Amino acid sequence: KLIYDSSSVSVTNTGNSLSLNLGNIVPGYSNNIIAYFSVKTTVPIGDSIVSNASLTASSLNVTAKDVAQVTGAFDPNDKQATPELSTTQVAEGKRIDYTIRFQNTGNDTAFHVVIADTLDSKLNLNSLQMIATSHLCKTTIKDNIIFFEMRDILLPDSNVDKLGSNGFIRFTMQPKNTVVAGNNIPNKAAIYFDYNSPIITNTAITQIKTPVLPVRIMSYELRIMSEQTSNEKRITNLWTTATEVNTSHFIIQRSEDGRIYKSVGSIAAKGFGTYEFIDSKLPITNDKLTFYYRLMAVDKDGSYQFSEVKQITINYKQQAVSIYPNPTANKLIISRGSNSQANEDAVLTDITGKKIMNIQLRTLQQTIDISELQKGIYMLCFENGEKLKVVKQ
């Protein structure tokens, strides 16, 4: 809803967020950062703009939230409608939201206001749902016209009471399921103040469009990479896309609790294909840590969507064991650190603990054929007590 313009300091702009590295700061430090944005012209009046800010320092993470309402001037006697729906949304029962606004700009009180709204043949006449009205209203449908009657409304003129001279009607309709991409559904209304000639609103048009598929991620997996001479670990993010429509870039996010995520890198979109990102800035500890990763696919207009969350556990006390691909349909690769014993045994069990097969690990990276197993969840159990979940597709 916002377009970034400029700021008082140099920031990194990823399309839907701004970030700034302050470096080392001392206790008591304070500063103000000003950023300037413009509101997109497609944002309707009355809509809310939500802004979130976060500050991360060592293990501390502080967040703040601000909500602003869009305001502006408008023509008082007008008709508004949902600008577009996809054929998929129509099939799912998505409705068109209509709003009629009127104002008495004469020089005397309006005693009766009647609105006649002519419905297009591509609308389902039986789908009318009233949402809200500014005054008591009687609603009837005759043929393909909805009549909204506000008798004894006593609507003051704008010279006497500018705010009180306004009124509105809001309702929804469903398009027929026979509409196709390229169809337009026009709608306008006639507003009668007492016995005066009607005021004809603008024509509000809803376009039926072919659905635009978002980025489609076919696979996403994590792999642990270990340094041979230290306890340092790296996690490789691997993902493959089949379609990318207007995708700008991918942001890789990591979390240590599955709730608060921070960005650890980004990769420009290339249309489709396979991507790889290595996260080498992991904390070094002597404990076992679980990391959660997700991808943020950012479109060129700033909108975004998240992938499913993947998790991986690193045991820093011993050389980590990783399995991939997981889920898998045929082959399972078991990869172990350089300090593992060559002839270590492992057991594959079903979810109840029933033994399925014994596995003797003779090399640090070994491929196991599980193509004959039924689809489901299994557990790979090692002699050191570590267990890893295996998903058979």
Side-chain angles (χ1 to χ4, degrees), residues 217-222 235 237-238 253-255 258 261 290-295 307-313 325-327 391 393:
I217 299 177
M218 299 298 293
S219 64
Y220 179 30
E221 62 179 279
L222 305 175
I235 296 178
N237 287 249
L238 291 168
Q253 296 187 330
R254 184 185 72 215
S255 172
Y261 286 83
T290 297
F291 297 101
Y292 303 84
Y293 286 86
R294 67 184 183 188
L295 303 174
S307 72
E308 63 177 320
V309 174
K310 294 289 185 177
Q311 71 179 71
I312 194 167
T313 300
N326 192 19
V391 179
Q393 291 181 331

Side-chain angles (χ1 to χ4, degrees), residues 253-292:
Q253 296 187 330
R254 184 185 72 215
S255 172
E256 295 180 27
D257 59 8
R259 296 182 299 109
I260 300 175
Y261 286 83
K262 69 176 183 178
S263 299
V264 294
S266 64
I267 292 181
K270 56 185 179 182
F272 67 93
T274 300
Y275 296 82
E276 177 181 276
F277 174 81
I278 299 177
D279 185 7
S280 59
K281 298 181 180 180
L282 301 176
I284 297 178
T285 179
N286 291 322
D287 296 320
K288 179 187 292 186
L289 289 181
T290 297
F291 297 101
Y292 303 84

Side-chain angles (χ1 to χ4, degrees), residues 234-255:
R234 294 179 294 167
I235 296 178
T236 300
N237 287 249
L238 291 168
W239 69 96
T240 301
T241 64
T243 57
E244 298 173 15
V245 179
N246 295 322
T247 306
S248 170
H249 59 283
F250 295 90
I251 297 177
I252 300 89
Q253 296 187 330
R254 184 185 72 215
S255 172

Side-chain angles (χ1 to χ4, degrees), residues 37-142:
F37 303 85
S38 58
V39 181
K40 292 182 178 179
T41 57
T42 55
V43 179
I45 294 174
D47 200 355
S48 295
I49 296 178
V50 180
S51 301
N52 294 287
S54 64
L55 175 66
T56 301
S58 298
S59 60
L60 178 66
N61 187 279
V62 181
T63 61
K65 179 180 180 180
D66 179 71
V67 180
Q69 188 177 50
V70 178
T71 60
F74 61 89
D75 182 351
N77 300 297
D78 72 347
K79 182 68 181 285
Q80 296 179 354
T82 302
E84 62 182 50
L85 289 177
S86 70
T87 52
T88 300
Q89 289 176 310
V90 172
E92 293 173 347
K94 182 74 173 179
R95 292 174 163 268
I96 300 176
D97 192 336
Y98 289 111
T99 300
I100 303 172
R101 296 184 293 192
F102 57 89
Q103 184 181 24
N104 178 9
T105 57
N107 56 10
D108 197 1
T109 300
F111 292 89
H112 309 296
V113 174
V114 177
I115 299 174
D117 191 308
T118 302
L119 301 176
D120 188 82
S121 61
K122 291 183 282 296
L123 291 173
N124 184 350
L125 296 180
N126 298 321
S127 67
L128 172 66
Q129 285 188 1
M130 297 297 299
I131 303 301
T133 61
S134 58
H135 302 78
L136 291 177
C137 177
K138 177 184 177 182
T139 304
T140 57
I141 299 180
K142 184 176 181 181

Side-chain angles (χ1 to χ4, degrees), residues 17 74 145 180 218 279 286 298 301 315 337:
S17 66
F74 61 89
I145 302 176
V180 296
M218 299 298 293
D279 185 7
N286 291 322
V298 183
D301 63 0
N315 189 349

